[in-house]
Amino acid sequence: MIAKQPKWVGRALALGLLLALILAAYQLAVAPLVTAYQESDKQIAEVQDQLTRFSRIAQLRPAYEEQMQELGQRLAAGGIYLKGETDSLAGAELQARISGLIEQSGGRVRSIQILPVGEDEGFRKVGARVQLTATLGALEKVLYALEASKPFVFIENLDIKNRRARRRNKDSDAQSEPELTIRFDAFGYLRPELTS
């Protein structure tokens, strides 16, 4: 015979089963929803923080655009770029400037050839290949004038040769500077267009 258990044991077991079912339902259905809502709240807070930062940055945009325009005007007024609406006009300006500086320094232009326009890190590079004759002192003046004044002109591929071998003659002046044949590439940059 099976002994009868008191009623409270059955009720306690039923209550335990009910609590286990409620806990399992909570773990399977409610807990994931609570976690998802918490993650959503966290993501919403992050997005709101980003939105606040972006709106602060957007408010600064007009000030930055104004600074860009001022900078562009100062660069244009600074004269560091070659002038000219087209590559050809800028090349002609460069050619005239080099020729004038050579003549002023006491050298003689033999030839100036405009080089093809190139791109250099977003800037249009206008160049000329120059050949001249001058003394060492005149060459120093030419190079200094080209590199130290505005618009900026840069020198590359400098090649200097003695025009003729120095003749040691008793009648010749030992103090006279020899005539040199000089070749170099000179280039400057066109002002980049500032985009707003």
Side-chain angles (χ1 to χ4, degrees):
M1 244 182 157
I2 299 175
K4 252 185 170 191
Q5 296 180 359
K7 285 185 180 185
W8 66 268
V9 173
R11 287 184 185 168
L13 282 173
L15 188 61
L17 276 173
L18 181 63
L19 286 174
L21 282 174
I22 291 172
L23 186 60
Y26 178 81
Q27 290 294 330
L28 293 174
V30 177
L33 286 175
V34 170
T35 305
Y37 284 130
Q38 288 172 344
E39 287 294 320
S40 294
D41 286 345
K42 187 177 177 182
Q43 288 176 350
I44 288 171
E46 288 175 3
V47 169
Q48 285 175 335
D49 184 47
Q50 284 181 343
L51 185 61
T52 303
R53 280 186 276 141
F54 289 151
S55 76
R56 270 189 264 140
I57 292 169
Q59 289 172 355
L60 295 173
R61 182 179 176 156
Y64 286 141
E65 286 177 345
E66 186 178 319
Q67 287 177 354
M68 286 259 307
Q69 287 177 347
E70 286 178 23
L71 179 61
Q73 290 169 353
R74 275 193 275 151
L75 287 175
I80 62 174
Y81 295 107
L82 296 173
K83 295 175 187 159
E85 296 295 318
T86 65
D87 299 340
S88 300
L89 291 175
E93 178 207 349
L94 180 65
Q95 185 176 14
R97 182 160 179 257
I98 292 170
S99 182
L101 288 174
I102 291 170
E103 300 290 328
Q104 289 174 5
S105 300
R108 287 186 310 277
V109 177
R110 294 184 72 185
S111 69
I112 298 180
Q113 173 189 5
I114 301 298
L115 298 172
V117 176
E119 288 287 326
D120 188 8
E121 295 188 25
F123 292 90
R124 302 223 12 105
K125 182 178 177 180
V126 177
R129 183 158 289 140
V130 181
Q131 183 174 359
L132 67 132
T133 56
T135 62
L136 191 57
L139 173 62
E140 180 184 5
K141 290 177 188 174
V142 169
L143 294 177
Y144 178 78
L146 284 172
E147 290 196 329
S149 61
K150 292 182 182 177
F152 291 155
V153 175
F154 303 91
I155 306 297
E156 287 183 344
N157 305 322
L158 180 62
D159 182 39
I160 303 171
K161 292 183 180 168
N162 193 348
R163 203 163 158 215
R164 53 191 119 124
R166 214 171 170 179
R167 295 182 187 145
R168 297 202 176 220
N169 197 344
K170 291 182 182 181
D171 297 335
S172 71
D173 185 7
Q175 298 297 325
S176 69
E177 288 188 82
E179 281 267 308
L180 304 171
T181 300
I182 301 119
R183 289 186 188 100
F184 60 85
D185 294 340
F187 65 91
Y189 293 97
L190 289 175
R191 182 176 180 264
E193 295 302 318
L194 296 175
T195 59
S196 55

